[in-house]
Amino acid sequence: MSVMSAGADVRPGRWRAGAGRVVAGAALLTAVALLPWLSGNDPALTVLRARSADADPTPGQLAAVREQLGLDQGPFPHLAHWLGGLPRGDAGTSWVSGEPVLPQVTTAFAVSLTLMLGALVVTVVVAALVCARTLHLGSRRRLSRGGAGAGAAVLAALPKFLLASLLATVCGVWLGWFPSSGWEGPRSMVLPALALGVPSGAMIGGLLDQSLPAAFREPWARTWHAYGFGPGHVARHALRRTLAGVLPQLLPTVVALVGGAVAVEKIFNIPGLGRLALDAAVAQDLPPLQTATLVLVLLGVVAGLLIQALRRALLGPALRDGALPALHPPALTRSRSLPWVVGCCAATLIALVVTGLLRDPLQVDTAARLLPPSAAHPLGTDALGRDLLARLGHGALRTAGVALVVTTVSVVTGLLLGMATHVGAGLTEVVSTLPAVLAGLLTTAVTGPSVWGAACAVCVVGWSPYAAQAAALLEQERASGHMLASISFGAGPSYLLRHHLLPAVLPAVARNALLRLPTTVLVLASLGFLGLGEQPPTPEWGRLLSENQPYVELAPWTVLGPACALVLLSVLAVSGSALGRGGARTRNRPS
């Protein structure tokens, strides 16, 4: 019966998913077309300044630009004309340069796709290193103690634009190993791929490391070990079992690097698609911006379909037949050092914040510019002579508060859309490849540059990892044997939701949210780095990183403080959740 019902649901589900993709793509393209009019700025003035940098154009020049571009007709005729040219291979001409758009976008997409593949290789390698210990011990039935995930949290919390600056300075300028700027060949890809792939690999590896113990606990793993199957064979199948649940995270984590690596592309001077879209959005040059957005939407849809097909191939017929065993994390003994790690991180953060709150974060002393750490200034001073410890302490509550609000809204939205499996799948694929920068431009066009405008922008795109994870876990839980048994005994939707679906999804999504908490701070920082988020002189950790990034070579202490604070916050969140899980399992363990 389950097979027949599953087969009956396939076609309507595909139609709903397709409708979700079309609606989401159309809404996004329409929002992009409205960008010049939403911003409240005269698009003719913006385009004219982008062309010639003329500070005071005459009314006649503005009228000529409006007539040339047909701006008086409004956004929708422009959108219809652009869509009408696509079937003929005509994406229009740039309003700024007057050159055809399609060759520009094609070249930029090829660069970004190459960079994404390089970052994907780094991601896979780092993820394998993060979960290597669990794979090694679990395949040999020697996994008795759970890891805190602190190493993955440290790597995942590394700011990508800060890591890019460090790599460009050390490996590019000082050591001369690789090019620090430009795009000339494979060697130019190494440093930006490392900057993008290391944090992403830590994120994927951390999620895998949390899921693998449950796979090694399944009956087949015990049986195979008893029959003498090799550890490598057991490890491969355990990885296959857990990879299906983590695989959807590749869509928002890695594929989004095509359009979301704007800050890294700017640092390394890479002519990628994200940078092209940002420059076009700033200049309100609609044809290249609309074409780049369409390419990102199509990329997200294709990648989502490929990942979905790969997931179903990994899970096999058990997913279709409702015979998939549920993954239940075992009660592993927690590390003895875990409470010390949590305590040290918490004590250090509290000490930094309290000490910083006793100082003035806005006092400017031009005679004390870029001073190294000392007794008077424990974390040094910035380019204006302001005390970095004071700015770190005063920005702590604002940084953590905004990140927690954004994470909570994103998790709730992701859970709701993840439960709407078919419609939510198409929407998730489209939004996963939407750069936060583009979302920031759309929201700040209405709200203006501010921390809450940046927070809204992150909420617009930040729910997609949780929706993808929730949808994948719900699909596996609905195909489990105990779920079908409950249905056969007459369990209703409310009972299934409370006793099966939510318990299977909420813990994993919560761990993902804690692991991504510093990433949320960094995305807000990236928007601030590009002038779309928190504005000076307000102290905020992301703002501290972005405004001091140009001085990382001359005065590395200017970014060391906020970067270490982010790492401490990440380790505290992940280790604290592991400590809570360990305590709960100890209390619930039968005597």
Side-chain angles (χ1 to χ4, degrees):
M1 182 178 298
S2 62
V3 176
M4 294 177 61
S5 61
D9 288 340
V10 168
R11 185 166 296 177
R14 288 177 178 173
W15 278 106
R16 287 194 292 269
R21 296 183 184 102
V22 172
V23 170
L28 178 57
L29 289 174
T30 302
V32 169
L34 290 170
L35 178 60
W37 287 266
L38 288 174
S39 64
N41 299 324
D42 186 356
L45 177 61
T46 305
V47 170
L48 191 59
R49 285 180 175 173
R51 286 177 177 177
S52 60
D54 190 354
D56 297 307
T58 64
Q61 290 174 319
L62 293 175
V65 171
R66 292 192 191 98
E67 182 179 358
Q68 177 189 0
L69 302 180
L71 295 175
D72 294 333
Q73 300 175 9
F76 296 107
H78 280 284
L79 180 61
H81 177 74
W82 175 76
L83 290 173
L86 291 179
R88 305 190 304 270
D90 180 16
T93 58
S94 170
W95 289 356
V96 175
S97 66
E99 298 178 356
V101 167
L102 197 57
Q104 300 178 32
V105 174
T106 302
T107 303
F109 176 70
V111 172
S112 291
L113 187 62
T114 305
L115 180 58
M116 185 205 73
L117 294 177
L120 180 60
V121 172
V122 177
T123 298
V124 172
V125 172
V126 173
L129 293 175
V130 168
C131 61
R133 169 190 171 273
T134 303
L135 273 174
H136 177 79
L137 296 178
S139 62
R140 291 163 173 78
R141 307 294 297 172
R142 289 159 44 192
L143 187 63
S144 59
R145 189 174 66 185
V154 170
L155 294 177
L158 291 176
K160 291 179 181 178
F161 59 85
L162 180 59
L163 184 58
S165 297
L166 290 174
L167 289 173
T169 301
V170 176
C171 300
V173 178
W174 292 355
L175 301 177
W177 289 348
F178 301 100
S180 60
S181 179
W183 189 261
E184 300 174 356
R187 295 180 71 249
S188 302
M189 183 179 65
V190 175
L191 296 183
L194 286 173
L196 294 170
V198 169
S200 299
M203 183 73 63
I204 299 297
L207 295 175
L208 269 177
D209 193 59
Q210 294 169 355
S211 303
L212 280 170
F216 288 122
R217 188 194 182 196
E218 288 187 325
W220 67 264
R222 296 194 295 267
T223 303
W224 286 17
H225 181 75
Y227 273 91
F229 281 87
H233 194 68
V234 175
R236 284 195 302 272
H237 282 269
L239 191 61
R240 176 177 179 175
R241 177 70 178 91
T242 55
L243 191 60
V246 178
L247 197 60
Q249 298 300 301
L250 283 177
L251 184 61
T253 302
V254 178
V255 179
L257 297 178
V258 174
V262 181
V264 175
E265 289 179 355
K266 286 175 70 68
I267 290 171
F268 287 101
N269 194 24
I270 297 174
L273 192 62
R275 187 177 175 185
L276 174 67
L278 175 63
D279 293 342
V282 171
Q284 298 190 9
D285 193 0
L286 280 188
L289 178 59
Q290 289 172 324
T291 308
T293 304
L294 179 61
V295 170
L296 291 174
V297 169
L298 295 177
L299 175 67
V301 171
V302 171
L305 293 175
L306 289 176
I307 288 175
Q308 185 180 17
L310 184 56
R311 279 191 64 252
R312 299 197 172 187
L314 289 173
L315 294 174
L319 180 66
R320 180 195 63 216
D321 298 337
L324 198 65
L327 290 174
H328 297 291
L332 300 176
T333 305
R334 72 189 184 196
S335 173
R336 294 180 181 178
S337 63
L338 186 58
W340 290 98
V341 171
V342 174
C344 289
C345 290
T348 305
L349 275 177
I350 291 174
L352 287 173
V353 172
V354 172
T355 307
L357 288 174
L358 301 177
R359 297 165 175 260
D360 185 2
L362 301 178
Q363 181 180 357
V364 175
D365 184 3
T366 55
R369 296 177 63 251
L370 299 177
L371 289 180
S374 62
H377 304 285
L379 297 182
T381 60
D382 64 7
L384 296 178
R386 296 173 297 190
D387 185 79
L388 287 172
L389 179 58
R391 296 183 65 75
L392 183 71
H394 283 266
L397 294 179
R398 190 179 188 89
T399 300
V402 174
L404 284 174
V405 170
V406 169
T407 300
T408 302
V409 172
S410 300
V411 168
V412 173
T413 306
L415 284 173
L416 294 176
L417 291 174
M419 290 180 181
T421 308
H422 298 299
V423 176
L427 187 60
T428 303
E429 292 166 2
V430 172
V431 174
S432 291
T433 51
L434 174 64
V437 173
L438 182 55
L441 286 169
L442 292 172
T443 54
T444 55
V446 179
T447 64
S450 65
V451 63
W452 293 113
C456 291
V458 179
C459 289
V460 168
V461 298
W463 58 265
S464 58
Y466 310 116
Q469 184 183 27
L473 294 176
L474 285 171
E475 185 181 28
Q476 293 177 209
E477 184 66 17
R478 291 189 179 107
S480 62
H482 68 271
M483 180 83 170
L484 296 180
S486 296
I487 294 175
S488 66
F489 280 110
S494 177
Y495 180 90
L496 296 176
L497 182 66
R498 288 183 287 109
H499 292 84
H500 291 288
L501 298 179
L502 287 181
V505 172
L506 280 179
V509 173
R511 291 193 296 270
N512 191 5
L514 288 173
L515 195 59
R516 289 182 179 274
L517 181 62
T519 305
T520 302
V521 177
L522 295 178
V523 173
L524 292 168
S526 297
L527 294 177
F529 177 76
L530 298 168
L532 302 174
E534 186 66 89
Q535 299 300 298
T538 306
E540 190 265 338
W541 289 1
R543 185 72 197 175
L544 294 182
L545 285 170
S546 61
E547 67 187 8
N548 291 312
Q549 182 267 336
Y551 309 102
V552 67
E553 182 179 356
L554 177 64
W557 57 84
T558 57
V559 297
L560 187 61
C564 290
L566 277 177
V567 170
L568 286 173
L569 178 64
S570 177
V571 174
L572 179 62
V574 174
S575 301
S577 67
L579 183 63
R581 294 198 308 272
R585 289 170 188 161
T586 301
R587 290 191 298 270
N588 296 331
R589 188 177 299 167
S591 57

